[in-house]
């Protein structure tokens, strides 16, 4: 009994140490996330497919694996993306995250039920 408890404790502690921010963790329960940002002729893309496919693109450079996972987690944490997020609040968070000259934002989230949530903004929509 003591040995089982110790194993559970070690597993629990490892999980806490290796976990990333809760907001990103909640999104990762979904089937897929696609985030595309265009800023000054550079296209940035973050992609996640459940359970562990990560991809990050900056212009022509494509990154996969652990570094891509870090980038995806970073942007999801910054955006605080949820199914009921508002487009303008996502755009504001994106700008606060360093994309101050964004000209296009396209975010797509598919949840575990297969429901697709989409937030799209283009600079010429509002004349800004």
């Amino acid at each position: 009994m003591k040995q089982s408890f110790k194993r559970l404790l070690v597993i629990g502690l490892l999980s806490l140490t290796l976990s990333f921010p809760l907001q990103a963790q909640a999104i990762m329960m979904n089937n897929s996330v696609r985030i595309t940002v265009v800023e000054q002729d550079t296209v940035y893309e973050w992609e996640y497919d459940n359970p562990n496919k990560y991809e990050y693109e900056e212009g022509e450079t494509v990154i996969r694996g652990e570094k891509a996972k870090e980038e995806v987690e970073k942007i999801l944490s910054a955006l605080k993306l949820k199914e009921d997020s508002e487009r303008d609040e996502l755009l504001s968070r994106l700008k606060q995250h360093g994309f101050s000259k964004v000209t296009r934002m396209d975010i797509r989230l598919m949840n575990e039920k297969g429901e697709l949530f989409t937030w799209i903004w283009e600079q010429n929509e509002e004349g800004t």
Side-chain angles (χ1 to χ4, degrees), residues 55-79:
E55 189 171 292
Y56 170 67
E57 298 177 35
E58 184 174 331
E60 299 295 317
T61 305
V62 179
I63 299 169
R64 293 181 181 89
E66 193 59 36
K67 178 65 177 157
K69 179 180 179 182
E70 291 171 18
E71 293 296 329
V72 169
E73 290 173 355
K74 238 191 291 187
I75 195 70
L76 288 174
S77 184
L79 290 174

Side-chain angles (χ1 to χ4, degrees), residues 116-128:
L116 179 63
F117 298 85
T118 305
W119 301 266
I120 298 173
W121 176 85
E122 291 202 44
Q123 185 175 34
N124 59 3
E125 277 183 21
E126 299 169 8
T128 56

Side-chain angles (χ1 to χ4, degrees), residues 16-64:
L16 286 174
T17 347
L18 299 175
S19 67
F20 48 95
L22 290 177
Q23 203 65 32
Q25 191 172 15
I27 291 299
M28 298 316 214
M29 302 292 283
N30 295 295
N31 290 334
S32 67
V33 177
R34 301 280 183 276
I35 300 170
T36 303
V37 172
V38 179
E39 182 180 61
Q40 298 182 330
D41 299 326
T42 302
V43 178
Y44 301 86
E45 293 182 298
W46 297 262
E47 299 179 9
Y48 166 75
D49 287 307
N50 194 359
N52 59 6
K53 181 181 175 257
Y54 299 88
E55 189 171 292
Y56 170 67
E57 298 177 35
E58 184 174 331
E60 299 295 317
T61 305
V62 179
I63 299 169
R64 293 181 181 89

